[in-house]
Amino acid sequence: MQWDFWTLSPESAHQVTWLMGDRGIPRSWRYMNLYSGHTFMWVNAAGEKVWVRYHFITDQGHRESDAGRGRRSGSDGHRLPHS
């Protein structure tokens, strides 16, 4: 049932390919792209409606944590490490 939802919705299928891809866990926020999950409607001074999505693309490139760094941080890759 879950796979039916993901495959019948292009937006969900795209998200799943990112989540289950081989890129790995980003080393920090600095090394990952960020996208808005929603589309926002802005209204300009003339009263015209404009649809906006945010895309923040990193200039530093993508850097992922390796398995050793993940173990040292105390994270299992699915949850934040305990502080």
Side-chain angles (χ1 to χ4, degrees):
M1 186 166 140
Q2 187 66 41
W3 284 103
D4 289 338
F5 173 75
W6 286 338
T7 57
L8 295 174
S9 171
E11 299 85 4
S12 296
H14 181 257
Q15 182 65 33
V16 169
T17 58
W18 273 92
L19 289 174
M20 297 188 179
D22 61 351
R23 183 167 278 180
I25 299 171
R27 187 166 289 195
S28 74
W29 290 102
R30 177 181 291 262
Y31 300 111
M32 62 185 288
N33 296 335
L34 300 172
Y35 305 96
S36 63
H38 301 283
T39 303
F40 301 94
M41 183 181 68
W42 285 6
V43 180
N44 63 17
E48 301 169 330
K49 296 176 184 176
V50 180
W51 295 97
V52 178
R53 291 195 92 167
Y54 295 107
H55 292 204
F56 299 98
I57 308 299
T58 180
D59 289 333
Q60 290 82 20
H62 297 278
R63 294 183 67 192
E64 289 76 32
S65 294
D66 59 3
R69 182 181 172 99
R71 281 191 294 275
R72 288 189 302 275
S73 71
S75 173
D76 63 0
H78 301 285
R79 295 180 290 270
L80 292 174
H82 299 288
S83 47

